[in-house]
Amino acid sequence: MKKILLVEDDSSIADMISIYLREEGYSVIGAMDGESARKALSGTAADLIILDIMLPDTDGMTLCAEIRSVSDIPILMLSARQDVNDRVEALLTGADDYLSKPFSMRELAARVEALLRRANYSARTVGLRNSSALTLDTNRRKLFHNGKPVETTYHEFELMRVFLLSPGKVFSREELLRKIKGPQVPVTDRAIDVHITNLRKKLEANPRYPRYIKTVWGIGYKYNAEHYDHYGRGLYS
């Protein structure tokens, strides 16, 4: 049974979500503020976090950044804010998905299932290795740059998987979004741009002149094949 940490200070919303997800077969651990969420995370291994953006003792964005600095666990952000800038900020902070209130329980459950399915798939798939500067270990979900670990969000890691599987191939923003979030997700160019910008900041000596992830104007992005020498596949036990 998958464990979900639900961080929501509105008890009526928290109860509604908990009841629905438990009926869907999930184990739900509740927390009503940042401090109780931190204690819950230190005491149990959650498979996914549903995190409200407005908490009584800390900002959800701050808590999201704290979690992302030490873990790549999928994070679904909830918020009554519907401005596109808030969604962009959530992605920049490290959230893997963003759902505006009010929302349907069916949509929430579908997004939870999609995030868990992709995380489970990633844990089972093959390891990929770039023998020049980047190494992607899909078994441990770790990205290394020149031998040093690079912290990535769930979607940043999935983007690197897509690029390294097809070096030199040009992907449109829509293609990339569908590959990392599934075929039913609404397409927004800005979401992919945010992930690419974050990856460049983490990987490039000068993000304004990227060597790895190249922009193909009018189309999308590609991984620069010149920096890709080899990738190998090997099933992990």
Side-chain angles (χ1 to χ4, degrees):
M1 183 179 290
K2 295 292 185 180
K3 294 182 180 179
I4 298 174
L5 174 60
L6 172 61
V7 187
E8 169 62 67
D9 66 321
D10 188 316
S11 59
S12 60
I13 294 177
D15 289 344
M16 183 170 54
I17 293 175
S18 297
I19 292 171
Y20 192 92
L21 291 180
R22 285 170 180 146
E23 289 178 349
E24 292 292 307
Y26 299 106
S27 172
V28 181
I29 305 163
M32 300 192 72
D33 53 41
E35 186 59 31
S36 57
R38 294 183 185 95
K39 290 180 180 178
L41 283 171
S42 65
T44 187
D47 297 292
L48 180 142
I49 300 172
I50 299 176
L51 175 60
D52 186 37
I53 203 170
M54 299 182 68
L55 299 172
D57 63 339
T58 187
D59 182 83
M61 297 287 192
T62 300
L63 183 58
C64 178
E66 289 180 19
I67 296 169
R68 186 55 70 228
S69 68
V70 297
S71 173
D72 62 358
I73 183 173
I75 299 175
L76 171 58
M77 189 80 80
L78 302 181
S79 177
R81 306 175 188 172
Q82 300 189 20
D83 189 273
V84 66
N85 291 326
D86 293 313
R87 300 183 185 184
V88 170
E89 183 180 356
L91 293 173
L92 287 169
T93 303
D96 297 292
D97 203 353
Y98 186 102
L99 188 57
S100 297
K101 300 177 182 178
F103 51 82
S104 73
M105 290 296 104
R106 288 185 61 193
E107 181 179 7
L108 174 69
R111 289 174 183 258
V112 166
E113 182 181 355
L115 285 172
L116 288 172
R117 182 172 62 247
R118 289 192 291 275
N120 186 54
Y121 171 79
S122 298
R124 299 196 315 268
T125 52
V126 300
L128 304 175
R129 183 173 184 274
N130 174 354
S131 61
S132 57
L134 297 178
T135 301
L136 192 73
D137 184 341
T138 57
N139 185 50
R140 296 184 297 159
R141 291 192 62 80
K142 295 292 184 181
L143 174 65
F144 298 88
H145 183 219
N146 292 323
K148 297 180 180 180
V150 178
E151 291 293 334
T152 60
T153 66
Y154 177 86
H155 287 138
E156 289 168 3
F157 188 90
E158 291 304 306
L159 273 175
M160 291 308 302
R161 183 206 301 276
V162 172
F163 285 133
L164 289 174
L165 277 171
S166 302
K169 175 179 171 60
V170 179
F171 293 95
S172 69
R173 290 173 173 83
E174 179 177 349
E175 286 178 304
L176 291 172
L177 195 60
R178 300 299 191 202
K179 283 182 178 293
I180 69 172
K181 302 190 76 171
Q184 304 303 321
V185 67
V187 176
T188 55
D189 288 357
R190 180 58 178 158
I192 285 297
D193 292 341
V194 168
H195 295 314
I196 297 296
T197 297
N198 285 340
L199 280 170
R200 285 173 171 169
K201 289 178 180 178
K202 296 174 181 180
L203 300 175
E204 303 286 356
N206 187 344
R208 295 183 61 185
Y209 301 97
R211 297 183 303 155
Y212 300 111
I213 304 174
K214 308 288 285 187
T215 299
V216 181
W217 297 107
I219 302 177
Y221 299 97
K222 70 174 182 178
Y223 182 78
N224 189 3
E226 294 178 4
H227 292 282
Y228 192 94
D229 299 327
H230 167 77
Y231 73 89
R233 299 185 182 187
L235 290 175
Y236 290 87
S237 58

